[in-house]
Structures are given as C-alpha cells and as structure tokens.
Amino acid sequence: MIPRQAAGAGLLSVVLLGLAISGCHSTQRRAPATTSTATPASATAQSAPLAARIQPLPVRPVQKSQPTTPDKCPATNPNAPVAPTTILVTCDLARATLYTLAPQTMQLALTRVDPPRSLTSGFYEVTLTMDPVSAAAWASFTAAHPHDHVAFIREDLVLEAPTIEEHVTSGRIALTTQTRQAADQLAQLAGRPT
C-alpha cells in the first residue's frame, strides 16, 4: 500500500510532467526561424532542469546575402569578435552564403536550447527559448519589422538568417537545417554557456 503523502507527490509529478509535454506546437514551414511553440511559462519553469547560463545571442539585420564558396569566406576569430557597432561581413555555418550584416540590433537572453528534432526527411529543428525580457523585446521587434531579414550570430558566424514572416509572441524561435550534423552544430553553438 502506498502512503497517502507519497501517492500525492507522485500525482503532482505526473501532472507537472503532463503540463511540460502537452503544450501546443504550431509550425509554419515558410518561416522556420520565426515559428513558435507555446508552452505555459509556469510549466516550463517548474519542469525544466536548471542549466548553465547561455551566452546572449546577437541579432543583426542582413544588408546583403549571396551564394559563395568556403574559400571566399572571411576568417573569423572567436577570441576577437567584431564589435557589435560595426558592419560584419561573414558566412553561415555551411560556408555557402556570404552576408553583409548591419550593426547589432539586440542580444537575446536564452534560457534553453532544445536538442535537434527531425521534422521531415532531411529537415531538423532546433528550438531556442528566451527569457521574458528578451521574449518581449523580440515580440516588439518582429511586430515593428515584418519582412525584414535578420541573422542570429555566434562567433561572428551566421547560425540562421530568417525573414520575419509574423509577429512572434511565444518566446521561442525555431531554427531549421537540412542535416542532422548541421542541426547538432547549430544546437551546440546556440547553447554555448557563458
């Protein structure tokens, strides 16, 4: 026979777990980086394990982008990043696109980076969760800048450069890649601890 107090604690654990995994998930394929998942904030706060702090994620407007080859990508130095107030010319992780980026618009404080998950054959998604202050700032930015092209940066490389398709209020950003290896690299860089 299970003591009444232990049974109550077990039920509470099941309820909290149910809240954590039952959130709605809406995915819009045309704007994977602005796709959101709505999970109640209380469920996330109660069920998410405490993790190391994640480095803020810089956001820069894209001024220009063009296809390139790896040999034409400028060298980057993670120990001496380009100042946030200057223009950055860099490539994406695949070294297939060359970007000219305006000075940094904001930094997003991330609280969680989910491991990659398979969407369909050949596409993987990495979901980033922001703290409430960054979620509000990102919501305001996406409302004020529809159709703008922005880049999420880590180590002076473009992690992803989506076009803002809708006002994002969920506090989450879903980034997509075409290979599992690229998704793993994306999650590792996005979730880099401070």
Side-chain angles (χ1 to χ4, degrees), residues 3 42 44 53 58 65 75-76 96 128 138 151-152 156 172 178 182 187 192:
S42 60
T44 302
R53 290 183 50 121
S65 66
T76 60
L128 315 178
W138 183 243
F152 300 107
D156 286 346
R172 299 181 125 200
Q178 293 185 343
R192 176 149 297 150

Side-chain angles (χ1 to χ4, degrees), residues 3-154:
R4 180 171 218 155
Q5 186 177 22
L11 179 60
L12 179 61
S13 296
V14 170
V15 169
L16 290 176
L17 180 61
L19 285 174
I21 61 177
S22 66
C24 298
H25 183 85
S26 64
T27 303
Q28 183 180 25
R29 291 298 143 232
R30 65 191 168 104
T34 58
T35 302
S36 62
T37 302
T39 301
S42 60
T44 302
Q46 292 173 357
S47 62
L50 294 177
R53 290 183 50 121
I54 299 171
Q55 289 180 9
L57 187 66
V59 179
R60 288 176 175 253
V62 175
Q63 293 179 330
K64 181 180 172 184
S65 66
Q66 63 190 49
T68 193
T69 57
D71 59 309
K72 294 185 179 172
C73 288
T76 60
N77 182 352
N79 297 321
V82 171
T85 56
T86 62
I87 291 176
L88 172 63
V89 177
T90 190
C91 286
D92 60 346
L93 293 176
R95 302 177 70 74
T97 306
L98 180 67
Y99 292 93
T100 302
L101 306 174
Q104 184 175 295
T105 302
M106 66 178 67
Q107 285 191 347
L108 301 175
L110 303 178
T111 59
R112 181 182 173 114
V113 175
D114 291 336
R117 71 179 189 92
S118 178
L119 295 175
T120 61
S121 179
F123 285 94
Y124 296 85
E125 178 179 88
V126 175
T127 302
L128 315 178
T129 304
M130 297 171 273
D131 74 3
V133 172
S134 289
W138 183 243
S140 294
F141 185 84
T142 60
H145 298 90
H147 311 295
D148 280 8
H149 192 187
V150 297
F152 300 107
I153 307 299
R154 183 70 82 215

